[in-house]
Amino acid sequence: MSDDRAERIAGFIEALRVTPGSKVRLDRDFDPRHKAGLKKRDAAGLLRTGVDLLAEYQERLAAQNTYGVLLCLQALDAGGKDGTIRHVMSGVNPQGVRVSSFKVPSDEELGHDYLWRYAQRLPARGEIAIFNRSHYEEVLVVRVHPELLARQRLPESARGPGVWKRRYREINDWERHLEDSGFKVVKILLNLSKEEQRVRFLKRIDLPEKNWKFSAADIRERRHWDDYQRAFSKMLSATSTQWAPWYVVPADRKWFARLCTAAILVHTLMDIDPQYPQLPEADRKELLVAKRDLEREAPVGLPADPYTARHSSARDERTPGRRAGK
Ligand code: ATP
Ligand code: MG
């Protein structure tokens, strides 16, 4: 990977990053229609490059088996979380990725502390985990609908004033602990405009094959649009940290949102820069002993090691000059 490409990706996503410690307002500071001067027709090729890079880095992440990545995706309904996950992760080995979707908590989940169910779904070393909705619902939907907080059966002391500030601190501390343990946390808010949500809802109603994606609850939540914008702004200001930054991705154009998400993930993996493990000398010697044994088993008339035979002849064909001693 050339440093040049890494630098360009870092530059591209820098504008989307919420500076840790800054106070932001979603409706004032971020434009859902922004597209960085790109055209849709250029996006397909760029996304393919991003997906290829992701596949390569994910393989190295798994082989090194030391670090893990957690991507949290937040958005309002019709924000494009599902499609983004599908497109961005399309080239990645499914064994190295796990996606968890978080809905209204079950009775069992409500019987535990609020981070419990998210902790169950964290990545292992070598894995990328994607949270489709995440622990941030605990300071979003739960903040917009105070009756949900009441359902959490918290003791009096944990419900009173300061509950949101406390949750921000607890979440920051939790993410810091993950970072210290080798797990990179990266957070994306797909930022949709109210008008684009209206258009997408109408499409889901108009097209019978999209009806299943629409629910009356979506319209009920839309009525709380301004409350959500406020909750998002407070969350971004309080929980974008050096160790787990927020990125606000313009989401009115699906192709641009996918490109940004791929770039953010690639950047995170490049930062880890996972390496294939090198075998210790003693283990390498053992491999060479095994190689000799396998070569001795070759049937008569066949090459002792077909792989080396094939590749060295291919190399020879590519470099005729060298064989001729030029
Ligand atoms: P899609 O609509 O694309 O299937 P979705 O993520 O919107 O995906 P839904 O089943 O429609 O899935 O909605 C899940 C609902 O669960 C959302 O309204 C979300 O706010 C709610 N939810 C998630 N976490 C919590 C939580 N901790 N407490 C209460 N509600 C939650
Ligand atoms: Mg929904």
Side-chain angles (χ1 to χ4, degrees):
M1 165 60 37
S2 71
D3 283 343
D4 182 40
R5 198 159 4 162
E7 255 173 48
R8 265 187 293 143
I9 294 173
F12 176 64
I13 63 167
E14 180 60 32
L16 312 172
R17 194 162 149 271
V18 177
T19 309
S22 65
K23 196 163 189 292
V24 293
R25 235 182 68 188
L26 192 58
D27 58 349
R28 182 193 61 197
D29 300 328
F30 301 94
D31 175 9
R33 295 196 59 74
H34 178 71
K35 58 185 177 100
L38 289 173
K39 297 223 160 45
K40 185 177 179 180
R41 65 168 176 271
D42 305 322
L46 286 171
L47 183 60
R48 212 168 311 118
T49 309
V51 167
D52 288 349
L53 281 170
L54 261 183
E56 179 196 323
Y57 272 91
Q58 188 253 331
E59 195 177 303
R60 281 163 48 176
L61 186 81
Q64 190 181 35
N65 209 11
T66 303
Y67 296 95
V69 172
L70 170 63
L71 171 67
C72 301
L73 260 188
Q74 285 293 151
L76 287 177
D77 290 301
K81 292 181 276 94
D82 292 346
T84 300
I85 295 170
R86 202 169 56 244
H87 281 81
V88 171
M89 303 316 284
S90 59
V92 170
N93 178 355
Q95 292 205 73
V97 182
R98 77 154 99 172
V99 182
S100 301
S101 301
F102 295 100
K103 315 267 180 188
V104 178
S106 68
D107 234 28
E108 188 194 11
E109 289 168 343
L110 287 172
H112 293 263
D113 72 276
Y114 73 92
L115 288 177
W116 181 78
R117 67 170 179 163
Y118 308 99
Q120 319 276 308
R121 314 297 302 176
L122 286 172
R125 298 188 194 285
E127 275 184 351
I128 299 174
I130 299 181
F131 282 2
N132 181 347
R133 299 190 188 267
S134 68
H135 46 296
Y136 283 98
E137 291 293 329
E138 305 294 337
V139 293
L140 291 169
V141 68
V142 181
R143 185 166 193 171
V144 170
H145 298 282
E147 67 276 14
L148 294 176
L149 189 65
R151 281 188 65 211
Q152 296 193 346
R153 309 206 294 269
L154 296 164
E156 187 72 40
S157 57
R159 259 184 282 145
V163 56
W164 308 117
K165 258 200 178 149
R166 204 162 47 241
R167 285 197 172 191
Y168 294 145
R169 175 176 53 73
E170 288 158 357
I171 288 173
N172 286 342
D173 288 348
W174 189 54
E175 292 174 353
R176 175 124 214 192
H177 156 70
L178 293 173
E179 156 79 20
D180 287 346
S181 316
F183 298 93
K184 291 265 171 208
V185 182
V186 53
K187 303 169 314 205
I188 293 181
L189 171 62
L190 296 177
N191 185 27
L192 188 70
S193 72
K194 197 171 184 188
E195 174 54 13
E196 181 61 20
Q197 189 193 52
R198 188 180 77 90
V199 172
R200 290 187 190 175
F201 278 173
L202 281 170
K203 189 170 172 192
R204 289 176 178 192
I205 294 168
D206 292 340
L207 297 176
E209 69 274 21
K210 299 241 181 227
N211 285 173
W212 65 274
K213 285 191 174 188
F214 186 77
S215 87
D218 294 350
I219 290 289
R220 279 201 298 277
E221 286 310 284
R222 181 175 164 82
R223 292 197 193 112
H224 295 282
W225 184 272
D226 292 341
D227 298 333
Y228 273 109
Q229 299 296 302
R230 268 192 295 275
F232 279 136
S233 302
K234 288 181 177 155
M235 171 199 80
L236 293 169
S237 305
T239 62
S240 194
T241 54
Q242 292 293 351
W243 56 91
W246 270 107
Y247 292 89
V248 178
V249 164
D252 274 14
R253 294 179 171 87
K254 289 179 179 173
W255 59 266
F256 189 67
R258 290 165 189 170
L259 193 59
C260 293
T261 304
I264 291 163
L265 255 184
V266 169
H267 171 78
T268 306
L269 286 161
M270 281 176 163
D271 210 36
I272 298 174
D273 196 20
Q275 305 293 327
Y276 289 110
Q278 298 272 335
L279 276 191
E281 195 49 36
D283 293 1
R284 176 84 202 134
K285 278 195 185 126
E286 237 174 78
L287 281 192
L288 292 176
V289 172
K291 179 178 161 73
R292 270 195 299 278
D293 286 350
L294 288 167
E295 284 174 345
R296 271 197 289 273
E297 286 178 27
V300 179
L302 290 180
D305 181 343
Y307 179 82
T308 319
R310 203 173 324 124
H311 285 80
S312 60
S313 65
R315 246 196 323 273
D316 289 347
E317 276 161 28
R318 279 199 301 273
T319 54
R322 207 181 299 159
R323 260 206 306 177
K326 287 182 189 160

